[in-house]
């Protein structure tokens, strides 16, 4: 396992030097509920830009509902 320390809002920039431009999954324990909308949206957008079509974005959250407002969900979510 390789661990990178950096800002998830610049996920593509963190991974590019390693030659990683695609991902088969994103698993997040980031506190999306506590973030400003703009930061949260940036992290989610960066993640989906890396993900293959149909690949999962898995978010662990303490909230009972998605930390990403439903109106923003342009993808299938559960
Ligand atoms: C509740 S802890 C979860 C720790 C671990 N990921 C887990 O799931 O057990 C939230 C972590 O998100 C990190 N974090 C918050 N904003 C971040 C960001 N923009 N980019 C990268 N890490 C961030 C914090 O530094 C903290 O370590």
């Amino acid at each position: 396992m390789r661990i990178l320390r950096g800002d998830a809002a610049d996920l593509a920039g963190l991974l590019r030097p390693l030659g990683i431009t695609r991902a088969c999954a994103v698993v997040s324990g980031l506190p999306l509920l506590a973030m400003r909308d703009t930061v949260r949206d940036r992290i989610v957008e960066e993640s989906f830009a890396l993900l293959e079509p149909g690949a999962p974005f898995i978010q662990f959250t303490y909230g009972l509902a998605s930390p990403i407002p439903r109106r923003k969900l342009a993808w299938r979510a559960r």
Side-chain angles (χ1 to χ4, degrees), residues 6-9 28-31 35 39 43 60 62:
D7 186 355
S28 164
L30 296 173
M35 291 177 176
V39 176
I43 290 171
F60 290 91
Y62 295 119

Side-chain angles (χ1 to χ4, degrees), residues 28-77:
S28 164
L30 296 173
L32 297 184
L33 277 174
M35 291 177 176
R36 280 183 289 126
D37 290 8
T38 51
V39 176
R40 178 203 60 209
D41 290 355
R42 181 76 195 272
I43 290 171
V44 174
E45 285 162 13
E46 287 270 312
S47 298
F48 273 91
L50 284 166
L51 287 169
E52 303 285 354
F57 177 96
I58 300 166
Q59 171 67 34
F60 290 91
T61 179
Y62 295 119
L64 295 177
S66 170
I68 305 164
R70 277 195 181 277
R71 64 187 154 75
K72 298 219 181 235
L73 294 176
W75 50 84
R76 190 162 51 96

